[in-house]
Every structure is written in C-alpha cells, then in structure tokens.
Amino acid sequence: MSTTQSKPNDGSQTQHAKATRTFELPTLLQRRDGEMTRELLLQPGQHGLGMTPASLLADTTTTATCGYCATGCGLRLHIRDGEAVGLTPETDYPVNLGMACPKGWEALRVLDSDERATAPMIRDTNGDFVKVSWDEAFRRFCEGFKQIQAEHGNESVAFVSTGQIPSEEMTFLGALAKFGMNLLHGDGNTRQCMATAVTAYKESFGFDAPPYTYDDFEQSDCLVFVGSNPCIGHPIMWERVLRNKNNPDIIVLDPRRTETAMAASEHVQLRPKYDLQLLYAITNELIKQGYVDEAFVNAHTKGFEELRNHVANFPIDDVAPQAGVDSVQLRRVVEKIGRGKAVSLWWTMGVNQSYEGTRTAQAMINIALMTGNIGRPGTGANSITGQCNAMGSRLWSNTTNLLGHRSFTNDDHRREVAEILDIDIDRIPNQNSLAYDQILDGIRAGKIRGLWVIATNPAHSWIDQKGARELLDQLDFLVVQDMYDSADTVKHADLVLPAAGWGEKEGTFINSERRYGLLKKVCKAPGEALADFQIFRGIAHYWGVGEMFAEWTDPEAVFRIMQRLSAGRPCDVSGIDGYEQIDACGGIQWPWSSEDNNGFEPEQQRRLFGDGVFFYEDGKARLIVDAITPVPEPPCDDYPFWLLTGRGTVSQWHTQTRTNKSPVLRQLYPNEAYIEINPANAASMNVSNGDPLVIRSRRGKATATAFVTPTVASGQVFMPMHYTETNHLTLSHFDPYSRQPSYKDCAVSIEPASARNPVERENIQ
Ligand SMILES: Nc1nc2c(c(=O)[nH]1)N[C@H]1C(S)=C(S)[C@@H](COP(=O)(O)OP(=O)(O)OC[C@H]3O[C@@H](n4cnc5c(=O)[nH]c(N)nc54)[C@H](O)[C@@H]3O)O[C@H]1N2
Ligand SMILES: Nc1nc2c(c(=O)[nH]1)N[C@H]1C(S)=C(S)[C@@H](COP(=O)(O)OP(=O)(O)OC[C@H]3O[C@@H](n4cnc5c(=O)[nH]c(N)nc54)[C@H](O)[C@@H]3O)O[C@H]1N2
Ligand code: SF4
Ligand SMILES: [Mo]
C-alpha cells in the first residue's frame, strides 16, 4: 500500500498560526489520598484559560477544525484577551478553502446557553437532581459501578461513547473503561452511523480504509452518490463537487428528489431498499458491455468469477421495473460509469443504515475495483463519514476494535498493545464487546445494570426510542456525561457529569478523508464543567488506576501514545512531528509513518491504493456478493406508507442539543416536527401544507406538520431525525454483519389530526 508522493521539506511550508499549547494537569495524580478538591480541579487550564499561551492573549487568530460534521472544515477563531470573540472560515485550509456552513459559523454561539451543564448532579431519593462537588461525583461514579460489578460481575457495566470527542479522549476513555475498570462491553453512536462502512471496507480491503482525498470531488468526471445527500449533510464537500472543472456526470441513487438529486445529471429515483439489486444489475451490465479492467481485476482482486456468476441473475430489464426505475435510464448510467475515465462512487446513510448495507457498500466497492476506478485521482469507492470524529472512533474508541484498529481476539495484537502501554496483557479483554443493540438487550435481560453514556443522546437517536427510554430507566445506575442538562438522556440519569465542548478543549479529530485536524481551547467552559479528558483523569484516579495513566497527562501526550500504537499499522501516524506540525500543514492524513517523514513534508491531498496493493496478506482486494434479503416491514393495508428518515436541513444537527441554542440557526429550520408527503397522497386525505398529521407505526404514534412536496414519491414519507417524534416510529432491525440500525425503512399510517386523533407534541424545540 502506498500513498501519493510527497515532496522534500525545503522549509518553505507556510506557517499557520501556532497551535495553542497543551495545558498542564493539576496535581491530580500526585494526590494519592483520594482527595480531589474543587480548588485542585479548578487549576488554570482546567477551567479558565490560564494555560493559554501568551500569543493567544493578545488580539490574534488561530485555526481549529469544526466540531460538527466529518467534513472537518478549518475555522479561523478570532481571539481577544485570550478568548474567542468570533470566527470566519479559514481560507488557507485544504478542506474548505474559505467556506463554512451555518453550523460552523455559529459554532461559538451554541456554547453560551443557560442549558449548559455547569455542575455535577446526583439524583436524590425524591428523584430530583442535586448539585454536588466533583469529589462527590467521582466517588459516586466509582461506588455505583463498583458495587454493580461486585454483585453481578464486570460484564454487568457497559459504556456507550461517541464520534464527537477528540481521538485522545476516545483513546483515554476506551483504555480506562476496558483496561482500568475491566468493562468488557462498550460501543458508540458510530454503530448508528459508520459500522456498515467499517465492516464493508474490512472485508473488501482487509482494513477499514476509506481511500479518497477531497481533491477527488474535483478530479472525477463521473460521481455516483448512493443514499447520500451532501447538499444538506456535507455542504462543503458538495461545494468541492461544484468546483469540479470537468463538467462531470453526477448520478444520484435516492428514493427522494433531494437537493443533491435535483443538481444531478441522472437522478435514479429507486424504490427504497432496492439498491443492492440495482447495483448488481449495473455490475452485470458493465460486465456484459465489456467495461471490466481485466488487468486490474487479475492483478489486484479475488472473486471475480463468483461476482460475474452472481450478478448474471440480475438482468437490467428485470430489475429496473422492480426497482421502479426506467431501464433506459439505467443503461445510460451504465454507459456513463463504463466510459468514465475517473469515476468515484460515494455513499452515506442511505446505504449504511440498511439491513443489507454491508453488501450494498461492497457492491459499490466491487464496481470501483472491477472498472479499475481506485487509487487514481477522481476515483474510489468512498464512504463519507458523519460526525466530526467518526473516523477517530473507528480507530481509537477501543469498542469494536482494539486500539489502532486491532482485534481483541488476536493474542499478538493484545500483546502489542500491552507492551506499548506497559500494562499486563490480562487487563486487555480477549473477547469482543457486545454491539449497541446487544448491550440494550443485555439491559432488557437484567445482565447489564450499569451504563455510562458519553457524548451521545440515545434517548432521542436510538432506533425505536420508546423501547430505548424504558431500558435506560431499568438500569440500576446510569451516568450521563454531556454538555447540556437539557439533553434527553440526561433526564434518565442517576449521575450527570458536566462536560466542556468543542472550543473549550484540545485534541484531534479525523475527518472523512483520514485527515487529523486540531481543535483548540479558545473559550472557558461554564461553571465547573470539565473537558472529557479531565473527567477521565479524575475517574482513573478515583477508581484507583491513576498509576496506569501516569503518562496520559494531556491530549498531546496521549497523541504520542496513539502514534506508538499506530506504528506499523495501516493507520500509522508515527511520522507526525506533533500538534504544531498538524497545525502548520492544515491537517495531516493517515498514514504518515516515520519512514514517510524521512525528510519529507506530507502533501495536502493523499489517497490510498495507488499501487493496487490492499491490506490482505496476498495484497488483493475481495469482490464480495450475497443473496438479496426481503424487506422486514413492507407497507401494507394498515400501514401503507414507507417512512424514510434522515437529515432535514443544513442548520440542524442530530438531536439538536447544540444547534437549537443558536437563535440564528433556529430561524433557519422548522421548529416543530414535520413530515414530507407527496401532493397526490396529501390531496387524497384532504391535507394541506401545515396541517397536523398523526403518524402511527407498529411501535408508536407521533404528530408532525404536513410538508406537502413532490420531493418524496407517492406512498413514501420523510421525517427528519432531528425531532424526537421520528424514532418513536422506527423499527428496530439491523444489518447482520455490521449490526448498524436500519433507520430508513418501516411502514407507517397517516391520518389528519382530529378529535379522534389528537395532537400529541412531545418535544417542541
Ligand atoms: N446538517 C446536518 N449535517 C449532518 C448531520 C446532521 O445532523 N445535520 N449529521 C452528520 C452525520 S453523523 C451523518 S451520518 C451524515 C449523514 O448524511 P447523509 O447520509 O447524506 O444523510 P441522510 O439524510 O441521513 O441520508 C441520505 C439519504 O439517504 C436516502 N435514503 C433513504 N433510504 C434509502 C434507500 O433505500 N436507498 C438509497 N439509495 N437512499 C436512501 C434519504 O432519502 C436521504 O436523502 O450527515 C452528517 N452531516
Ligand atoms: N431515525 C433516525 N435516527 C438516527 C439517524 C437517522 O438517519 N434516522 N441517524 C443516526 C446517526 S448517523 C447518528 S450519528 C446518531 C447521532 O445521535 P446522537 O449521538 O445521539 O446525537 P447528538 O445530538 O449528536 O448527541 C451528542 C450528544 O453529545 C453532547 N456533546 C457534544 N459535544 C460533547 C463533548 O465534547 N463532550 C460530551 N461529553 N458531550 C458532548 C451533545 O450535547 C449531545 O447530547 O443518530 C442516529 N439516529
Ligand atoms: S460543513 Fe461540516 S465541518 Fe464544515 S462548517 Fe459545516 S458542519 Fe462544520
Ligand atoms: Mo452519523
């Protein structure tokens, strides 16, 4: 495996504003008597900006990567008296080139809210929250979980983490939970988001390795987006597509006529969940038309004969009508892909969040491999990641994979990690964790009785929310670590740990194109909120494993440990000089090994597989196919509509805990739940725009306002995930290989609200 060439370091690199220096930790580890007073915790740098470098105390600017989506834009923060007073998109950052979306522009504003969690809180015997000191909170944390472990075994406590904290915090959390606290089970919200892509890449390439760099958006002459709406979800990536000077073909496979589909040259408006058949039909036709790069297939892949035989069962003229698509259009699509010189295939949640998502993603990977569209500019089978640090969680959360994308069940891998961290190998579990849904099943069965939730909001975002909420209430002890007291999951907590957010702490995020970018501490966290990093340090100390983390003093120290853990792995970043170099280079993509570093500076745009060598021992990628599985809950007489869900607007982020704190953003989207419905369906029910509708599924009932629009096909409706109502309706089902929830298919009924069908609004934001 290699990346594109880099150039010698002649010292002429532009020097960006210097990174904020890491701050020293207080005497946390030097105190061994279990005492940690408020004064100790409120050491400078924990809480204020005391350790901010002198350079930031004058009026100045510094660049940090954005904390929302995985595009990873650079934002230039304007600093006065050591604190950020405003921001503008960074013009000199290789990701966004001076652009940002409204969430980025408003990133500072959402930090300042009276809904911020400002003190640890414990639920008293009356069920009310009372504020307590950190000392008390840490003690309760340890007592609560240790007691459950003593009574029910180590496996009875689990954690659920996130793709939205820096890699250093993820590494710390994963190591603390599994090696320090002896938890076996931990998963994250990346299961809801990226698990399918991870599984697909691992099986096809031998490692979870998205091959592309953003330049590919501009270099392609044909871009295929499957289940992806970058105009809304990744607007700055979409801007990069618009800068493409090749007048490219843009092909979009989406059941909805999204903003992205409207801008496409071909919108293949397939029936929901017909992707796999359709991609197999496209593959079959590409083979029949002679568009296979045989030299590449022979030299670099395995499984072509099986692929050819399998897809022969999917003739385009049979599949097209089943999928609700015109076969003439499909043949046009085949020609465009076949003739394209630089074809890139992109997928997001329309693929990942499907009960056959892994195989669908692999069907796209097969097309890229088979046509030789990989490793060259403008090509690739490219999964777009979601959260700012979804990729960080793939490599570093220590949940599904052992640190550095190793395997818990591989003794050599465990030994490597034990040696690097200088811990006893027996501290590293030799079994895999349960997946998110299995952790919830464990709660249902009374096997898991304690849960620690960090930077995710399952009481809103998990599929079939009602079930999830009931399970949260069933726990003996629930700890929630969040920026806001108002987050839905906090309402179910026994202990709340107030966290600093983006802008209030340091570390690195890894964006969709594998780029490590820096975030910076440019604001004070409110009240007694602490960076997750400090919370983990506190817990390590109180749990009695502070010694194990003696070297983990600050984010950059942990980054050094991560570098050691990455060395020799496909995700090797041992060659990065440190945070300052990441800052100076506008982020650095993995891999960047110490060998790469030998007298060279990393180029700003690097892609994988230029030499056609994949991560399997024989160097060959696998072409993987499978049988089609039926839709678990198709529409029927009682529930005649398909419910699609996803992102609604550029200005809303997920469960809205952050974005609804900005008065500007709130003006930019409907504040109440709405449902998109086709005009023909609306007319048949005598429904007009703005009418309240009652939506039912077999799981529950929700009210939403009608948004009558032809962008959804007749018989389908769409609800954004940003309102709690949506996941009252969704069906709990999963991809069998990745265990990612299939959020985008279930059957619902719709009726206008009436006396019989009263409006029930749970959450008006
Ligand atoms: N503004 C904003 N941006 C975000 C986020 C946000 O909350 N708000 N979240 C971020 C995160 S974490 C993620 S994961 C990404 C998600 O980014 P996207 O995946 O682009 O967004 P979604 O709207 O979830 O889903 C994409 C499309 O899948 C389509 N779809 C549904 N069912 C099917 C199907 O069966 N087949 C096909 N081909 N398509 C289908 C939907 O109609 C939808 O248009 O966005 C990131 N960016
Ligand atoms: N129906 C439906 N449901 C979906 C989806 C869908 O398409 N349809 N998409 C799924 C996807 S792809 C995703 S990624 C999930 C997202 O689901 P969640 O992860 O539940 O959504 P967020 O609102 O991002 O929750 C993040 C939480 O962390 C807090 N937080 C933010 N920054 C920090 C920090 O630095 N430290 C700490 N401790 N807390 C912090 C926020 O206040 C918030 O409460 O939703 C999934 N749910
Ligand atoms: S596109 Fe994503 S990374 Fe860029 S400013 Fe918007 S939310 Fe932030
Ligand atoms: Mo996501």
Side-chain angles (χ1 to χ4, degrees):
M1 200 282 314
S2 74
T3 56
T4 45
Q5 257 311 304
S6 33
K7 60 179 186 298
N9 181 1
D10 59 3
S12 63
Q13 279 282 318
T14 346
Q15 287 294 311
H16 289 236
K18 270 199 157 193
T20 29
R21 292 306 316 153
T22 50
F23 34 84
E24 299 289 314
L25 263 153
T27 44
L28 208 57
L29 276 184
Q30 289 144 29
R31 300 282 301 249
R32 304 215 185 278
D33 55 2
E35 270 302 312
M36 186 161 59
T37 61
R38 184 168 179 276
E39 287 64 41
L40 268 175
L41 274 160
L42 299 187
Q43 292 275 330
Q46 300 303 297
H47 184 58
L49 287 163
M51 292 286 179
T52 306
S55 60
L56 284 190
L57 290 173
D59 285 6
T60 182
T61 65
T62 187
T63 305
T65 185
C66 174
Y68 285 103
C69 87
T71 308
C73 295
L75 302 175
R76 179 174 282 260
L77 293 147
H78 300 255
I79 315 278
R80 183 171 304 147
D81 299 330
E83 187 138 16
V85 289
L87 65 80
T88 47
E90 177 59 71
T91 50
D92 198 15
Y93 199 74
V95 167
N96 51 316
L97 315 169
M99 301 174 278
C101 84
K103 295 186 296 302
W105 278 100
E106 283 293 288
L108 288 169
R109 181 118 38 161
V110 304
L111 299 175
D112 182 17
S113 155
D114 54 15
E115 291 176 35
R116 284 298 298 270
T118 53
M121 295 191 301
I122 286 175
R123 202 178 285 283
D124 68 12
T125 43
N126 298 325
D128 299 323
F129 278 129
V130 281
K131 292 188 176 178
V132 294
S133 67
W134 273 108
D135 177 57
E136 172 85 12
F138 284 137
R139 281 177 202 283
R140 291 291 280 269
F141 180 98
C142 297
E143 279 162 21
F145 286 142
K146 282 187 172 185
Q147 194 179 338
I148 294 173
Q149 285 183 322
E151 281 173 29
H152 304 282
N154 287 339
E155 292 185 29
S156 58
V157 176
F159 68 104
V160 178
S161 72
T162 182
Q164 294 179 58
I165 57 175
S167 310
E168 294 76 358
E169 293 183 347
M170 280 178 191
T171 309
F172 204 151
L173 168 61
L176 169 64
K178 292 210 166 170
F179 314 151
M181 295 165 62
N182 295 324
L183 309 190
L184 175 59
H185 303 305
D187 204 358
N189 63 6
T190 28
R191 180 74 63 176
Q192 298 163 300
C193 183
M194 300 318 308
T196 293
V198 174
T199 312
Y201 276 138
K202 239 166 135 172
E203 290 180 358
S204 295
F205 293 162
F207 195 80
D208 175 22
Y212 62 100
T213 187
Y214 292 162
D215 237 15
D216 292 323
F217 285 121
E218 300 183 27
Q219 306 273 342
S220 288
D221 56 18
C222 175
L223 299 101
V224 185
F225 289 94
V226 182
S228 187
N229 187 11
C231 283
I232 296 296
H234 299 91
I236 302 306
M237 291 192 198
W238 182 250
E239 291 292 334
R240 298 291 299 262
V241 176
L242 298 181
R243 288 165 53 99
N244 186 315
K245 295 200 174 70
N246 304 326
N247 190 23
D249 274 309
I250 299 176
I251 299 164
V252 172
L253 272 69
D254 198 308
R256 290 192 304 139
R257 193 156 176 75
T258 58
E259 298 76 356
T260 311
M262 287 178 208
S265 36
E266 300 286 349
H267 175 205
V268 181
Q269 194 165 8
L270 76 175
R271 291 206 174 101
K273 302 301 147 227
Y274 273 84
D275 302 78
L276 193 53
Q277 285 98 311
L278 214 56
L279 289 164
Y280 284 161
I282 291 172
T283 310
N284 183 37
E285 197 61 22
L286 281 165
I287 295 173
K288 279 172 63 184
Q289 300 297 332
Y291 288 124
V292 175
D293 181 340
E294 285 180 14
F296 188 90
V297 166
N298 292 335
H300 303 296
T301 70
K302 259 174 112 167
F304 184 68
E305 276 317 301
E306 292 88 332
L307 170 72
R308 186 209 304 267
N309 293 337
H310 185 79
V311 298
N313 300 316
F314 298 86
I316 211 163
D317 293 315
D318 291 355
V319 173
Q322 288 166 20
V325 174
D326 176 12
S327 57
V328 176
Q329 183 191 33
L330 220 49
R331 283 180 203 284
R332 246 188 348 254
V333 165
V334 169
E335 288 299 306
K336 286 177 175 173
I337 296 174
R339 291 199 179 150
K341 296 206 166 37
V343 181
S344 54
L345 299 112
W346 308 85
W347 80 87
T348 321
M349 291 309 120
V351 172
N352 281 358
Q353 291 171 346
S354 156
Y355 59 88
E356 51 187 4
T358 302
R359 295 296 179 250
T360 307
Q362 286 167 335
M364 298 177 69
I365 295 174
N366 294 344
I367 292 175
L369 290 167
M370 185 184 87
T371 55
N373 277 300
I374 194 128
R376 292 183 290 109
T379 65
N382 305 330
S383 145
I384 299 175
T385 51
Q387 305 163 74
C388 48
N389 202 21
M391 177 102 56
S393 101
R394 287 151 80 162
L395 295 177
W396 297 116
S397 65
N398 213 26
T399 53
T400 314
N401 310 294
L402 177 58
L403 297 172
H405 217 284
R406 291 176 171 86
S407 167
F408 284 102
T409 55
N410 179 324
D411 285 341
D412 292 336
H413 285 183
R414 289 171 61 239
R415 200 165 301 114
E416 282 166 25
V417 171
E419 275 170 20
I420 295 166
L421 299 185
D422 194 19
I423 58 173
D424 186 346
I425 186 168
D426 293 331
R427 295 209 80 107
I428 303 178
N430 59 5
Q431 293 172 56
N432 288 322
S433 164
L434 293 176
Y436 202 138
D437 66 300
Q438 296 162 329
I439 291 178
L440 295 182
D441 285 345
I443 301 175
R444 192 173 289 114
K447 289 186 179 150
I448 291 179
R449 310 176 78 104
L451 188 69
W452 179 18
V453 174
I454 307 100
T456 184
N457 193 8
H460 175 142
S461 61
W462 187 249
I463 199 159
D464 186 6
Q465 190 187 117
K466 191 160 161 281
R469 288 179 177 205
E470 282 163 8
L471 289 176
L472 292 175
D473 288 334
Q474 205 175 304
L475 289 158
D476 293 346
F477 192 52
L478 172 65
V479 179
V480 179
Q481 189 165 317
D482 204 287
M483 289 171 66
Y484 298 96
D485 283 341
S486 52
D488 313 70
T489 310
V490 168
K491 297 182 190 121
H492 303 260
D494 299 296
L495 171 65
V496 181
L497 303 178
W502 175 91
E504 298 164 347
K505 58 183 180 181
E506 279 196 319
T508 56
F509 288 151
I510 313 175
N511 78 354
S512 271
E513 46 159 9
R514 311 180 318 283
R515 184 182 303 275
Y516 279 79
L518 270 188
L519 62 154
K520 309 255 175 87
K521 180 175 164 70
V522 289
C523 303
K524 288 177 191 149
E528 295 179 28
L530 290 175
D532 295 282
F533 193 93
Q534 325 296 357
I535 299 176
F536 302 144
R537 284 210 20 117
I539 291 169
H541 172 72
Y542 277 73
W543 196 274
V545 291
E547 197 64 48
M548 192 187 287
F549 298 96
E551 205 194 319
W552 304 49
T553 50
D554 58 81
E556 195 164 9
V558 174
F559 182 74
R560 299 269 179 224
I561 296 169
M562 289 160 48
Q563 288 185 291
R564 296 199 319 255
L565 286 162
S566 75
R569 310 275 310 150
C571 54
D572 193 333
V573 283
S574 58
I576 297 179
D577 294 337
Y579 279 3
E580 269 193 45
Q581 192 194 18
I582 297 179
D583 214 21
C585 293
I588 299 177
Q589 290 167 297
W590 68 259
W592 189 248
S593 67
S594 38
E595 277 168 39
D596 294 328
N597 177 15
N598 205 359
F600 293 88
E601 283 284 349
E603 268 199 354
Q604 283 188 338
Q605 303 283 340
R606 291 181 295 129
R607 66 184 63 76
L608 304 180
F609 310 128
D611 52 6
V613 179
F614 296 87
F615 294 112
Y616 278 108
E617 243 165 52
D618 60 8
K620 292 187 176 188
R622 304 305 194 246
L623 298 163
I624 298 168
V625 286
D626 211 338
I628 305 292
T629 36
V631 187
E633 193 182 74
C636 60
D637 287 348
D638 291 341
Y639 299 97
F641 289 90
W642 280 102
L643 174 65
L644 307 177
T645 69
R647 276 74 201 154
T649 70
V650 166
S651 302
Q652 283 163 296
W653 181 256
H654 293 165
T655 71
Q656 299 206 66
T657 61
R658 285 196 269 170
T659 43
N660 74 5
K661 306 302 180 295
S662 153
V664 173
L665 296 179
R666 277 204 309 273
Q667 298 284 323
L668 296 175
Y669 60 79
N671 286 206
E672 289 179 1
Y674 64 94
I675 182 163
E676 296 182 11
I677 181 165
N678 184 274
N681 297 137
S684 71
M685 288 187 273
N686 210 10
V687 161
S688 310
N689 225 2
D691 287 353
L693 299 180
V694 175
I695 305 110
R696 284 192 178 79
S697 76
R698 290 181 177 87
R699 272 74 49 201
K701 177 181 158 189
T703 306
T705 304
F707 178 5
V708 181
T709 165
T711 55
V712 281
S714 174
Q716 297 170 26
V717 287
F718 174 80
M719 283 179 82
M721 62 154 307
H722 312 297
Y723 309 94
T724 49
E725 284 84 347
T726 305
N727 278 324
H728 278 302
L729 302 164
T730 44
L731 167 71
S732 190
H733 64 308
F734 305 89
D735 177 282
Y737 307 103
S738 69
R739 299 219 68 75
Q740 178 155 346
S742 190
Y743 279 110
K744 292 178 170 20
D745 60 293
C746 74
V748 294
S749 69
I750 296 173
E751 284 175 89
S754 64
R756 200 174 65 82
N757 263 325
V759 172
E760 279 173 22
R761 283 209 189 281
E762 194 198 335
N763 188 18
I764 300 180
Q765 313 209 2

